[in-house]
Amino acid sequence: MNPSQALQGETPERLVARFGEGTVSLHDARRIIAHVVQRGASSLDDITQVRKVARLAVSAAFPVGAVRVLERRASAEDPFVKFAVALVDDAVIETVRIPLEKPGRFVVCVSSQVGCAMGCAFCATAQMGLRRSLEAWEIVEQVRLVAQELRRTGEGRVHGVVFQGMGEPLHNLDNVLQAIEVLSHPCGLAIDARNITVCTVGIVPGIDRLASMRTRIRLGISITSAQQSLRRSLVPMDGRHPIREVVEAAQRFQGRSKRLVMFAYALLGGINTTDAEADALAELLRIMPARLSLIDWNAVPGLPFRPPTDEERERFHDRLAKLGVPVVRRYSGGKDIGAACGQLATATGRRERSQNTEG
Ligand code: SF4
């Protein structure tokens, strides 16, 4: 199967626009999408109350896509679960089920690309390089798989989605937006768009595009450093989109969407935890009301970084708080299964990358 199109990436409205009301009415299209996306049907053969002409036209143009869970690893330390998911071309991505404090509610951390082109120095996914971007349906399937498991086990339901897995979502924005349409559609997975967060390392045109759409989704920005030379050495994309311009774009997004932007800061012990860094960060965030989450960087084998010490973390946090930055510490779970922030990369991807760079 060609991975480029499958029914899970479509909304009823898109089907009607593609085939015309005469062939696929809105009623037909709603039933078809609910059948496949909500109920997880693998074909349209047993669908009821859809006209034959619609069923045949849609089946001929769109297959029902299939991905496979290769591995399911549950954390022994906390209720995180990481899934290794094989796509139709045998590329492997990772998806994480994150429990919320409220029992029975989960967020799904999805991948948007196989690997990533951004090359952040502290990130496991960067070591894979970029293989390809995911299609909308491949993003939807990650959430659907988790929703299906939660329903089957009676553990709860998917409350939200965060694009913080493998890949830079603004580097695959068309497909990410199409996936969000399905995820939030009442005939799709019906997840409130306000509970969908797109996290970026900072691609200004992508942020501006989101701002122009007046979307209800949430935007997350990964800062890493407020000092230009340090940030540039850790996040190569800073050369094209310096962090100040990224924060200014975030301000435009916040102004138009009225949605508070979430800033995230991964603490790399001894690197971006200095007093000078805290001062620069407070200065950077002065231009807009902001909420900042501090997250411990988690160990990735082969990378020359370490998590912060307790003392580094407390000192950095307290200095920011004293400078008036609304700052919280965020717990990054699933460390023992490699599901924590910055740790996602498939073993195969890492292996191939190291063979390529060695060769
Ligand atoms: S941190 Fe995000 S943007 Fe940077 S390389 Fe990793 S996946 Fe890509």
Side-chain angles (χ1 to χ4, degrees), residues 116 118-120 122-123 125-126 165 167-168 201:
C116 185
M118 298 297 118
C120 301
F122 50 87
C123 173
T125 308
E168 163 54 63
V201 79

Side-chain angles (χ1 to χ4, degrees), residues 102-141:
K102 198 162 179 177
R105 288 192 178 189
F106 296 84
V107 166
V108 185
C109 175
V110 292
S111 295
S112 55
Q113 297 180 310
V114 183
C116 185
M118 298 297 118
C120 301
F122 50 87
C123 173
T125 308
Q127 295 182 298
M128 297 172 63
L130 176 65
R131 305 270 196 78
R132 71 171 172 91
S133 287
L134 295 194
E135 299 297 332
W137 75 269
E138 293 171 318
I139 297 170
V140 172
E141 273 298 275

